[in-house]
Amino acid sequence: MRVAVIGAGVIGLSSALCIHEQFHGLVPSLELEVYADRFTPHTTSDGAAGLWQPYLSDHGNLQETLWNKETFDYLLGHMHSAAAKEMGLFLISGYNLFTEPAPDPSWKNIVLGFRNLTPKELELFPGYSYGWFNTALMLEGRSYLPWLTNRLTQRGVKFFHKKVESFQELFSQGVDVVLNCSGMRSGDLQPDPELQPGRGQIIKVLAPWVKHFIITHNLKSGIYNSPYIIPGSEFTVLGGIYQHGNWSEENSAKDHKSVWDSCCRLLPALQKAKIVDEWSGLRPARPSVRLERESIRLGNRQAEVIHNYGHGGFGITIHWGCAMAAARLFGNILQEKKQLATPPGPRL
Amino acid sequence: MASPKVAVVGAGVIGLSTALCITETCPSCSVTVLSDQFSPNTMSDVAAGMLIPHTYPDTPIHRQKQWFKETFAYLFAISNSAEASEAGIHLVSGWQVFKSTPKEELPFWSDIVLGFRAMSEAELLKFPQHRFGQAFTTLKCDCPPYLLWLEKRLKAAGTQLYTRKVTDLWELHSEYDIVVNCAGMGAHQLLGDKQLFPVRGQVLKVHAPWLKQFIRDGDGLTYIYPGIHRVTLGGTREKGSWSLSPDAGTTRDIFDRCCSLEPSLQGAQDIEVKVGLRPSRQCVRVQREVLSQGGVELPVVHNYGHGAGGFSVHRGTAKEAAHLVGECISALQGSSSRAKL
């Protein structure tokens, strides 16, 4: 049973790990392979700051809220292990700021200690009159992706540095199941007009005195088009760009100025921070995550694709819930192919 | 008295902040700071500089609260300005956890720090040995940056800073009109104050930049305070111990206690061990005194004995001491105009 994962960002690697963990003992013939043209540190996941936080509203998509919760709980459970540091996982508190009262988010009971900001706290942020404080998690891609890669390598999963041009290409080589975790470039494998880039640009600075994340919201401009400051283990990420439909991965001087000026206004001490890097990336945005099976008839065979892409700006936030859902779909495939007597035990 | 000459003895957080307050309230004063040690070699440099007050048994609570409130407001304004990183002042959030519920669930300072509340059940799950906790956001003064920033402000205000070991306050009477004693533990030798005693504290300063939250055990003995570049792990409270040498067994013990609160500390690098003596007293001595010898008088303002709470109340006591210096000046001017009659 050959399974090929396309994509080595957080979605591809975590889906691969989840499937291997659950099925390698039950399916002795399981061979897992990861194909990608970009590996860490060059994936979209590496550019993300790594803060666990869903969008403000789930638009009634309770499935995604559940996957977010599963991810948070899974990560929180790892907090006590010695692996946490290696994974790039740590607790962080911070502020979400608004210029007017906002309804509580779908994730208020998932994070720790969610509450409204007090008037004195709001004094820190002139121009903002309402906000939240909570404790969440950081999962830094540049640590997490290598950690996932190590776990997979230890398990004998093979990696191939190549751009897959079509699902057919893999099926004709004898692959039985393809996991499509190709993020932004899924459209190259199968057109999907619903998948659009949500371009972001960030500035990485040295500002080790910043211990909280600060995310501002402008309900008119939309998500992430308002300044945000996210301190990592080494660098602090300044951002606030979300351009729907913009495919450019080049840094823009105009966006740089917008991010720099607005973040310095938010936190004046940043004026003294040293800029170490700048990066643009494309959030693989979609009205909802595409996480479903697709059966493809190939002569007398039935080949299976499990799609797992379109996680927008919340890939890290939702990744493990999606990985487990993808693993369940894989379990169904195995059952149907009579590779498995019964699926593995119930998992949340 | 055109330009009163004021000597401030001590260049830790108390000495420097008191000197600065004096330059603010008495611009005509000529202020000199004298100390045998300057940052990074003062006792203050060992401290984490967290704004979590220590309760002095014999100082009225309202006075302690006022000191803390003034200090917090002063540092809050700096943390919110462009100078924050240079001054080493930053906000930090975290938890104070208790193995058994404390008698006083609401400390006197709970409405001064930000967002004070009881920890939720979910948060307490992270601390299986602890049954109760408080979550809040407070400020931290990183040293050396804060002391160096104070020195810079002092120099800009025309203050002179000299390395000099003062063995007797009286030796200053011919050069200075008023002496301000901020000698901390040094007041023991300078004054023979029997009420002043050391409480030895050993700490580790480690590199663990992924730690963004403080964790403190309510017993005050175990704490994890993330600073700008290093995390301070503590600690000990050894009453009456004068030893400034690090103890290896203590280092191991502190590390183990902190790791049980925060397991990821196992991965901490570059462990530096430091020792400080908290200049402890049942009450902080902020008080005027007039020394006299052979008909000559020397006004002294004391500001020492802050023990474990120096950073938390420094600005408040500095302002009070500066006010007392003002009273000394008025008294001197009063007596000198009487002398003219």
Side-chain angles (χ1 to χ4, degrees):
Chain A
M1 162 69 55
R2 274 183 68 195
V3 179
V5 177
I6 307 176
V10 67
I11 301 300
L13 297 183
S14 60
S15 300
L17 185 63
C18 194
I19 285 173
H20 200 272
E21 279 177 349
Q22 284 190 34
F23 295 102
H24 87 283
L26 301 166
V27 184
S29 67
L30 183 67
E31 273 175 50
L32 204 48
E33 299 152 11
V34 175
Y35 293 80
D37 60 358
R38 294 195 205 174
F39 285 87
T40 181
H42 305 294
T43 72
T44 308
S45 308
D46 291 287
L51 177 67
W52 186 100
Q53 185 169 297
Y55 288 179
L56 293 182
S57 167
D58 61 10
H59 300 295
N61 194 329
L62 298 177
Q63 179 65 267
E64 287 182 9
T65 298
L66 185 62
W67 289 334
N68 290 331
K69 177 174 162 52
E70 289 172 347
T71 306
F72 191 88
D73 292 345
Y74 167 76
L75 293 172
L76 197 61
H78 273 78
M79 277 297 309
H80 267 285
S81 74
K85 182 203 170 194
E86 213 194 317
M87 286 167 80
L89 178 64
F90 54 91
L91 284 171
I92 186 169
S93 296
Y95 307 92
N96 276 277
L97 303 171
F98 303 85
T99 54
E100 57 191 319
D104 287 348
S106 62
W107 40 270
K108 67 180 265 209
N109 293 321
I110 301 174
V111 295
L112 300 173
F114 182 93
R115 61 170 174 84
N116 284 348
L117 292 179
T118 63
K120 208 156 103 184
E121 288 174 309
L122 284 165
E123 276 176 44
L124 287 164
F125 310 110
Y128 295 95
S129 56
Y130 187 84
W132 310 321
F133 182 94
N134 65 267
T135 301
L137 294 162
M138 282 283 285
L139 184 63
E140 296 185 303
R142 17 177 235 116
S143 295
Y144 189 49
L145 264 52
W147 183 84
L148 287 169
T149 306
N150 288 342
R151 302 281 81 69
L152 289 166
T153 306
Q154 275 168 16
R155 289 168 163 273
V157 172
K158 305 253 183 316
F159 289 82
F160 298 93
H161 193 134
K162 72 180 286 201
K163 183 174 162 72
V164 172
E165 303 290 350
S166 68
F167 300 134
Q168 290 293 41
E169 184 191 319
L170 295 172
F171 291 133
S172 65
Q173 287 171 24
V175 168
D176 300 294
V177 179
V178 166
L179 248 93
N180 176 21
C181 306
S182 49
M184 197 63 251
R185 263 99 48 67
S186 297
D188 293 351
L189 291 166
Q190 189 184 91
D192 182 351
E194 290 193 291
L195 179 69
Q196 292 290 319
R199 181 183 173 279
Q201 184 166 322
I202 54 118
I203 305 173
K204 264 159 88 161
V205 303
L206 278 174
W209 65 89
V210 179
K211 305 292 182 192
H212 297 93
F213 61 81
I214 305 170
I215 307 187
T216 68
H217 300 274
N218 182 325
L219 301 177
K220 283 189 222 71
S221 329
I223 193 83
Y224 303 135
N225 255 330
S226 193
Y228 60 80
I229 297 165
I230 301 175
S233 61
E234 235 183 301
F235 308 111
T236 298
V237 171
L238 311 183
I241 302 287
Y242 189 109
Q243 292 155 350
H244 197 80
N246 186 347
W247 283 91
S248 170
E249 286 177 82
E250 301 292 310
N251 292 325
S252 133
K254 180 162 178 262
D255 291 338
H256 171 95
K257 183 167 167 34
S258 163
V259 169
W260 182 256
D261 289 350
S262 61
C263 286
C264 285
R265 227 174 296 129
L266 190 53
L267 211 56
L270 282 176
Q271 290 163 52
K272 306 272 172 77
K274 182 172 171 223
I275 296 177
V276 293
D277 202 4
E278 190 135 7
W279 179 81
S280 298
L282 309 177
R283 301 175 184 87
R286 209 173 177 276
S288 64
V289 173
R290 187 177 182 200
L291 183 36
E292 63 187 4
R293 274 173 63 182
E294 187 183 354
S295 301
I296 296 177
R297 212 67 262 140
L298 290 176
N300 58 351
R301 267 170 79 208
Q302 182 151 295
E304 298 285 339
V305 177
I306 298 173
H307 295 285
N308 187 5
Y309 68 87
H311 306 81
F314 50 89
I316 283 163
T317 298
I318 204 172
H319 80 278
W320 192 252
C322 289
M324 293 201 291
R328 282 192 292 278
L329 293 177
F330 183 70
N332 294 344
I333 293 171
L334 289 177
Q335 254 197 297
E336 287 163 23
K337 289 185 188 292
K338 309 258 190 295
Q339 291 271 328
L340 205 61
T342 46
R347 267 174 208 276
L348 229 199
Chain B
M1 178 160 292
S3 179
K5 295 200 286 292
V6 182
V8 176
V9 178
V13 69
I14 301 303
L16 297 181
S17 58
T18 303
L20 191 61
C21 277
I22 296 168
T23 66
E24 289 163 10
T25 57
C26 177
S28 63
C29 280
S30 155
V31 182
T32 305
V33 173
L34 305 169
S35 179
D36 61 349
Q37 301 290 357
F38 282 82
S39 182
N41 300 316
T42 71
M43 217 69 91
S44 301
D45 290 286
V46 179
M50 284 292 286
L51 257 69
I52 298 176
H54 167 81
T55 302
Y56 304 101
D58 292 352
T59 302
I61 291 289
H62 70 86
R63 200 170 168 214
Q64 297 186 49
K65 187 165 178 174
Q66 182 59 23
W67 287 340
F68 182 58
K69 194 169 172 190
E70 279 177 358
T71 306
F72 197 91
Y74 175 70
L75 296 173
F76 186 76
I78 299 171
S79 79
N80 212 12
S81 76
E83 300 204 53
S85 60
E86 195 198 332
I89 309 293
H90 58 98
L91 282 171
V92 59
S93 297
W95 298 308
Q96 176 164 238
V97 291
F98 298 82
K99 291 198 166 114
S100 51
T101 308
K103 283 193 308 278
E104 208 187 48
E105 284 190 24
L106 269 189
F108 74 81
W109 42 269
S110 62
D111 59 344
I112 298 170
V113 296
L114 305 176
F116 186 96
R117 60 171 172 86
M119 278 167 76
S120 63
E121 288 295 322
E123 289 171 307
L124 278 165
L125 286 177
K126 189 173 146 55
F127 305 102
Q129 294 174 341
H130 295 77
R131 300 175 44 188
F132 177 80
Q134 299 154 340
F136 55 93
T137 301
T138 188
L139 291 156
K140 187 178 188 297
C141 299
D142 268 40
C143 284
Y146 184 53
L147 297 189
L148 295 176
W149 181 81
L150 287 172
E151 287 181 21
K152 187 174 167 190
R153 298 279 302 266
L154 284 168
K155 286 173 189 164
T159 305
Q160 304 287 311
L161 292 89
Y162 296 123
T163 303
R164 170 174 169 178
K165 185 165 173 67
V166 175
T167 49
D168 184 338
L169 294 182
W170 191 257
E171 76 189 54
L172 302 172
H173 87 275
S174 54
E175 303 161 69
Y176 300 97
D177 302 307
I178 300 165
V179 170
V180 186
N181 169 26
C182 303
M185 210 57 241
H188 188 272
Q189 197 201 24
L190 272 181
L191 309 174
D193 179 351
K194 302 251 184 330
Q195 294 178 54
L196 181 69
F197 57 94
V199 175
R200 181 184 184 280
Q202 183 162 321
V203 293
L204 315 181
K205 306 236 177 188
V206 310
H207 184 70
W210 63 89
L211 289 182
K212 309 291 182 190
Q213 308 252 114
F214 73 81
I215 305 172
R216 177 182 204 266
D217 191 308
D219 67 10
L221 284 174
T222 307
Y223 49 83
I224 298 163
Y225 294 143
I228 293 175
H229 297 291
R230 319 214 99 224
V231 181
T232 300
L233 308 183
T236 65
R237 290 191 172 205
E238 298 155 276
K239 190 171 165 183
S241 168
W242 286 88
S243 168
L244 283 168
S245 315
D247 178 86
T250 302
T251 297
R252 179 86 248 155
D253 178 57
I254 291 171
F255 192 73
D256 289 346
R257 282 187 273 124
C258 288
C259 283
S260 77
L261 282 182
E262 178 54 66
S264 72
L265 276 169
Q266 296 284 355
Q269 304 279 313
D270 273 348
I271 299 176
E272 261 186 275
V273 188
K274 301 227 165 200
V275 178
L277 306 179
R278 301 174 185 84
S280 307
R281 230 172 161 271
Q282 294 290 94
C283 61
V284 183
R285 190 176 180 201
V286 189
Q287 198 176 50
R288 271 174 71 185
E289 190 184 0
V290 180
L291 302 183
S292 68
Q293 258 187 44
V296 184
E297 289 188 343
L298 176 63
V300 172
V301 172
H302 296 288
N303 188 8
Y304 70 91
H306 301 71
F311 279 88
S312 296
V313 298
H314 77 275
R315 177 78 181 176
T317 58
K319 280 179 75 170
E320 209 177 292
H323 179 78
L324 293 176
V325 168
E327 286 183 7
C328 292
I329 293 169
S330 302
L332 285 172
Q333 282 167 342
S335 63
S336 75
S337 50
R338 276 197 295 279
K340 287 189 173 73
L341 290 174

